Amino acid sequence: MTKVYKKTSGNGSLCLYLGRRDFVDHVESVDSVDGVLKIDPSGLNGRKVWVQLACAFRYGREDLDVIGVSFRKDIWIKRIQMYPFEGTKPPNTPMQEALLKKAGDQGHPFTFDIPVHLPCSVSLQPAPEDAGKPCGVDYEVKAYIANEEDNIDEKVEKKDTCRLIIRKIQYAPAELAAGPKADINKQFITADKPIHMEVSMEKELYYHGDPIPIKVKVNNETSKVVKKIKINIFQITDVVIYAADKYHKCVLNEEFGDQINANSTFEKEYSVTPLLVNNKEKRGLALDGRLKDEDTNLASSTLLIPDMDKQMQGVVVSYKIKVILMMGGGLLGSLTSSDVTAELPLVLMSPKPAEISDINLE
C-alpha cells in the first residue's frame, strides 16, 4: 500500500495529491513528477489556477527577509495552467490514474519533466540554535489561484496556495568502478632510503552507514618509526550557486596505535564508518535533502554527466579519504619529523531500493 501525500489550500478550493515525494535522478534522465490537482471552481471568482515546480537555493531563514533581500534564489521553475486548462495533456500515468480515484471528478492530472542538469536535494546542517528552514537546494510543487501567471504586482494570498516539498535524489549506480589506489614514496633529508606506503580499496563506492575497508601496506626502509596511523574522511561541499565557496569538513577522524619500526614492513586492513550521528554539531555540513524533521544522512556524492555546467548544480558534494603515517622524530627530534599522507577518492551514496511494482492507493 502506497501513502498518498495531500495538501489543501486554506480556502479549500485546491487540493494537491502526490503518490510519492522522492524522484530519482538516473544521471542520464530524471523521473517525471506526476500528480493530480483537485480544483473546486466555485471558489475561484473568475481567477485562474496554476501548478508550478520550482528548484531553488535557500540562503537562510525567510523570517530574516526584512530589508527586501531575497534569501531564496530560483534555479529553475516551470508552470502549467490547470484551470482553465491550456495546452495538450499527456497520457495519464498509473500513479495519476490511482490518484484520480482519490480526487474524483474535480481532479486534474499534471506532469513535470525535470532537466538532468539540475542539482539533487541537499541541505546544509544548521547550528543547534538556528531556527527555520535550513540552507540548501529544495524542490517545491505549488498550486495557486491568481489572475495572472507571474505578476510581481499581484499578491497571491497564502489561503489561495498549497505546496509540497519533494526530493530529487540519486542512488548508487549498478555498475561500480574499480577501487582506487595510491602509492606514496617519501624521502627524508636525514635518511638514505625512502618510506613507501600503498593504500587501496576494493571499490570506490560505499553505502551510507556501511563500514569502509582500507588496506594499508608500508615498507619502511628508513631509521624512523611510525608512531601511529590516522585515517580522516573529508566532505568537500562546493557551493557554486552564489560564489566559488568550498567547504572541507572532517566527518571522520580515527587514530590507530599500530607502530611500524625502522627497516620493517607492515600490512593491515582498517575499517571505518563515517556517520552523521557523530557530526551533529558541525554547522554547514551537507546532508541529503530532508522532508520536515525526518532523519537523513551525510549528503550523497554528486554524480555529474561529463561537461555538465557546474553552475547549475547549486551544491556539488564529494569525499576523500586521507591515510596519514604519524612519524616519530629523527636525530633532531620533531624538527625533522614529517608525516606521510596518501589520499583516495570516496563515493558515498544510498542503494537503489526495490522497485514498487504495484500501485495501490486504497
Side-chain angles (χ1 to χ4, degrees):
M1 187 177 292
T2 304
K3 183 176 180 180
V4 176
Y5 298 94
K6 175 183 173 184
K7 193 61 76 75
T8 305
S9 62
N11 60 18
S13 297
L14 305 178
C15 189
L16 194 57
Y17 292 85
L18 290 176
R20 55 180 173 149
R21 295 177 77 173
D22 284 347
F23 297 86
V24 181
D25 177 351
H26 305 277
V27 182
E28 301 292 338
S29 64
V30 184
D31 290 349
S32 295
V33 178
D34 51 348
V36 166
L37 181 64
K38 183 179 179 180
I39 304 171
D40 180 0
S42 63
L44 300 184
N45 301 320
R47 293 171 298 167
K48 300 174 183 178
V49 177
W50 283 269
V51 64
Q52 73 174 34
L53 175 60
C55 169
F57 184 85
R58 189 188 303 279
Y59 294 82
R61 289 158 44 190
E62 290 173 343
D63 59 346
L64 296 178
D65 189 2
V66 291
I67 55 171
V69 177
S70 174
F71 283 84
R72 182 180 168 90
K73 177 181 174 64
D74 286 327
I75 299 173
W76 177 85
I77 193 165
K78 184 79 179 285
R79 298 182 182 91
I80 301 170
Q81 183 172 316
M82 298 297 293
Y83 192 92
F85 185 79
E86 291 186 351
T88 56
K89 290 185 178 180
N92 290 343
T93 64
M95 181 68 79
Q96 287 170 330
E97 291 288 354
L99 292 171
L100 284 167
K101 291 177 183 176
K102 287 277 185 185
D105 295 340
Q106 294 181 330
H108 301 262
F110 62 85
T111 302
F112 289 102
D113 292 321
I114 304 176
V116 294
H117 62 264
L118 294 183
C120 286
S121 300
V122 61
S123 62
L124 301 182
Q125 182 163 263
E129 68 274 11
D130 289 345
K133 297 177 181 177
C135 299
V137 174
D138 66 30
Y139 287 78
E140 180 185 79
V141 181
K142 172 182 156 185
Y144 62 96
I145 303 168
N147 290 304
E148 295 182 46
E149 177 181 341
D150 185 28
N151 183 354
I152 57 172
D153 296 325
E154 181 180 6
K155 171 124 176 102
V156 178
E157 299 290 340
K158 194 172 182 180
K159 65 181 175 61
D160 292 333
T161 66
C162 53
R163 58 187 73 196
L164 281 170
I165 296 292
I166 63 171
R167 290 190 297 195
K168 175 175 175 279
I169 54 178
Q170 286 179 330
Y171 291 122
E175 295 182 11
L176 302 180
K181 183 178 175 181
D183 279 303
I184 300 295
N185 263 315
K186 176 111 178 191
Q187 183 75 52
F188 296 101
I189 299 173
T190 56
D192 294 333
K193 294 183 178 180
I195 184 170
H196 176 251
M197 173 167 59
E198 180 185 295
V199 179
S200 62
M201 298 191 298
E202 286 186 1
K203 54 185 182 177
E204 186 176 1
L205 190 152
Y206 287 87
Y207 298 146
H208 294 292
D210 283 358
I212 301 168
I214 303 166
K215 290 180 180 176
V216 179
K217 293 181 182 179
V218 179
N219 182 11
N220 183 13
E221 296 185 88
T222 73
S223 58
K224 293 176 175 289
V225 174
V226 178
K227 296 169 69 176
K228 56 188 174 184
I229 294 176
K230 184 161 75 169
I231 296 180
N232 289 339
I233 297 181
F234 289 90
Q235 180 194 76
I236 300 100
T237 304
D238 194 355
V239 183
V240 295
I241 188 71
Y242 59 86
D245 286 351
K246 269 196 179 181
Y247 301 98
H248 289 68
K249 302 278 185 180
C250 183
V251 295
L252 182 135
N253 180 14
E254 291 192 24
E255 292 187 358
F256 303 90
D258 294 308
Q259 184 169 298
I260 307 172
N261 293 322
N263 299 301
S264 68
T265 59
F266 174 85
E267 184 173 339
K268 188 172 179 179
E269 183 174 274
Y270 296 94
S271 181
V272 294
T273 309
L275 295 170
L276 175 58
V277 70
N278 299 326
N279 293 277
K280 286 286 192 181
E281 303 302 314
K282 290 180 180 163
R283 184 178 189 172
L285 195 66
L287 315 177
D288 272 346
R290 66 174 77 193
L291 301 172
K292 290 190 177 178
D293 294 323
E294 69 179 39
D295 286 339
T296 184
N297 42 253
L298 295 170
S300 296
S301 301
T302 307
L303 300 183
L304 297 174
I305 296 175
D307 304 321
M308 180 181 283
D309 181 9
K310 278 179 68 176
Q311 285 296 117
M312 290 295 291
Q313 282 298 304
V315 177
V316 176
V317 177
S318 60
Y319 292 87
K320 69 179 176 184
I321 297 173
K322 277 189 177 183
V323 179
I324 305 161
L325 303 182
M326 311 289 285
M327 306 299 296
L331 294 173
L332 301 177
S334 60
L335 290 174
T336 57
S337 71
S338 181
D339 299 335
V340 181
T341 303
E343 291 187 7
L344 293 176
L346 170 66
V347 178
L348 270 184
M349 300 194 78
S350 296
K352 187 176 182 181
E355 295 292 335
I356 300 171
S357 55
D358 297 320
I359 296 172
N360 182 1
L361 302 182
E362 296 304 322

